[in-house]
Amino acid sequence: MTHQISLRVRYGETDQMGYSYYGNYPQYLEIARVEWLRELGFSYKKMEEEGIMLPDISLQINYLKPLTYDEQFIVKISLKKLPSVRIAIDYEIFNEKGELASRAFTELVFVDMKTKKPIGAPEKLLARLKAAD
């Protein structure tokens, strides 16, 4: 399963070299992830209202080429297997020229907000992922 979103590097996200500061990349990944779920008809907000959190437990980013101020870029998400208690997501970020600028990986865990204990992925999400495959 894949999804992609187009974003743009804003001035306030750049460092003195005019590159997107490396600390912005987790936000780019989160934006892509939230929009991917929204496209599936599944909302983070609704999930939290139903008592489920989805915190990151692992983040890995490999920076290959810098993104620059005002550059439009693509974040592509790949989900290789259905989630259980955890969901593992691969990302590729492509610059305006279509070159691979970054690779990333996040792993998140579904957590019951009351007990703070891991739980299985919501059935609604699993159903939508299966339907989208």
Side-chain angles (χ1 to χ4, degrees):
M1 275 170 255
T2 63
H3 173 74
Q4 67 181 38
I5 186 171
S6 178
L7 301 171
R8 186 175 299 277
V9 178
R10 298 172 295 188
Y11 184 79
E13 296 170 344
T14 60
D15 59 19
Q16 286 185 333
M17 296 181 291
Y19 296 159
S20 179
Y21 177 69
Y22 76 94
N24 294 315
Y25 285 70
Q27 290 180 22
Y28 298 152
L29 304 179
E30 182 180 7
I31 292 166
R33 184 171 63 242
V34 168
E35 293 304 319
W36 166 62
L37 289 172
R38 188 183 321 275
E39 184 175 285
L40 286 171
F42 196 81
S43 152
Y44 256 51
K45 181 179 179 181
K46 181 79 170 154
M47 186 173 59
E48 289 178 352
E49 288 170 355
E50 294 174 357
I52 302 170
M53 294 185 304
L54 192 57
D56 286 81
I57 58 170
S58 181
L59 167 65
Q60 179 184 350
I61 303 173
N62 295 317
Y63 304 95
L64 307 171
K65 294 180 182 280
L67 297 173
T68 58
Y69 168 60
D70 204 38
E71 182 173 14
Q72 194 166 2
F73 61 97
I74 300 289
V75 181
K76 182 179 176 185
I77 288 179
S78 297
L79 184 68
K80 296 186 174 142
K81 67 178 187 172
L82 287 174
S84 56
V85 171
R86 297 177 181 199
I87 184 169
I89 303 170
D90 291 301
Y91 307 81
E92 292 178 313
I93 297 177
F94 295 91
N95 64 18
E96 216 165 58
K97 297 176 186 173
E99 301 167 323
L100 183 61
S102 241
R103 282 193 182 97
F105 170 82
T106 59
E107 190 171 23
L108 302 93
V109 64
F110 296 95
V111 173
D112 182 293
M113 291 175 80
K114 289 181 184 171
T115 65
K116 307 291 191 246
K117 304 265 184 207
I119 58 173
E123 287 300 320
K124 290 178 192 175
L125 175 61
L126 292 172
R128 293 190 186 188
L129 289 170
K130 288 175 186 174
D133 191 17

